Amino acid sequence: MSRLALVARMLVLVLGGVPLALTTACLPQGELAAADGSRRMVARDPQTGLSIVLTSGAWDGSPANLDSELTVLHALVANMGSTPVRLAPGDLELRDERGFRRQLLDAGGSFVLSGETDRGYHPGRDLDYGRLEWNGGDVNALALPWGVLAPGTQMRGYLYFRRLDHANAATLTWHFFSDKNQPLVDLAFDFFVARAR
């Protein structure tokens, strides 16, 4: 390879990373962002009719500094399919680029369909999640509640994870199941972690 071609290739690699570096440098340290530096990510599965919108940096409750203690994501889950879908804490998996899992912290909220009896919620496929006991503020009230999402409905709320300290990237995989415990689809989100320069 000629020296000029090598220099040109290196210039493309360096300049190609500039927008991401500039964008993530503007985010608070430890905040999750998409590859393009945006805070909002969307995943859709046309077969099941499931759509998820995840937003980082969206915490607007009390305490105001919660996102300096925890990794906080806002989730909107819409079920536009024909199958009832289970929302459960054990169905979410956040792993950093080294494979270490960051535990979801369950605030314990649930919902039921009108006319049904509340029997608690299904824990999900994995019991490797913790409880979030937070006194005062909006943490519990604004958490994503667990239950069965009926066709044509949506649910929103915050997800709380242990901080992504010492990580540069992470993948959140949401393993969706029907209300009959049948696997439906896995939807994944790849994040970068903003770091102070």
Side-chain angles (χ1 to χ4, degrees):
M1 178 179 291
S2 74
R3 186 174 181 168
L4 183 59
L6 182 61
V7 169
R9 182 174 281 180
M10 290 181 70
L11 189 59
V12 166
L13 289 173
V14 169
L15 291 178
V18 168
L20 176 61
L22 287 175
T23 309
T24 56
C26 298
L27 295 173
Q29 182 167 340
E31 188 168 301
L32 299 181
D36 64 0
S38 66
R39 296 178 178 191
R40 186 172 185 258
M41 297 178 78
V42 179
R44 291 184 179 91
D45 179 52
Q47 280 193 306
T48 60
L50 281 168
S51 294
I52 308 174
V53 179
L54 290 182
T55 309
S56 64
W59 176 253
D60 191 25
S62 172
N65 66 341
L66 180 69
D67 49 4
S68 67
E69 302 286 325
L70 304 172
T71 295
V72 181
L73 294 170
H74 184 269
L76 168 65
V77 184
N79 180 5
M80 297 299 115
S82 57
T83 303
V85 174
R86 176 179 85 199
L87 297 182
D91 293 340
L92 285 100
E93 184 178 2
L94 181 64
R95 290 193 183 272
D96 69 20
E97 77 275 14
R98 297 167 297 163
F100 293 110
R101 187 169 182 167
R102 297 299 194 259
Q103 203 175 44
L104 174 94
L105 300 173
D106 176 20
S110 64
F111 66 93
V112 293
L113 295 174
S114 177
E116 290 190 3
T117 305
D118 188 0
R119 294 183 179 91
Y121 54 89
H122 195 289
R125 65 188 276 279
D126 191 342
L127 297 178
D128 187 19
Y129 60 88
R131 286 284 294 161
L132 180 61
E133 303 290 340
W134 199 283
N135 295 323
D138 300 319
V139 176
N140 295 334
L142 297 179
L144 180 71
W146 312 114
V148 175
L149 194 59
T153 63
Q154 64 182 14
M155 190 59 64
R156 68 176 67 222
Y158 289 95
L159 301 170
Y160 310 110
F161 294 91
R162 298 210 184 277
R163 293 265 318 152
L164 276 161
D165 294 324
H166 313 296
N168 296 315
T171 299
L172 175 66
T173 306
W174 201 319
H175 306 279
F176 282 100
F177 290 79
S178 73
D179 62 332
K180 307 291 187 218
N181 207 30
Q182 298 167 325
L184 296 174
V185 66
D186 290 348
L187 296 177
F189 299 85
D190 292 322
F191 290 103
F192 290 93
V193 182
R195 292 278 168 244
R197 301 246 177 237

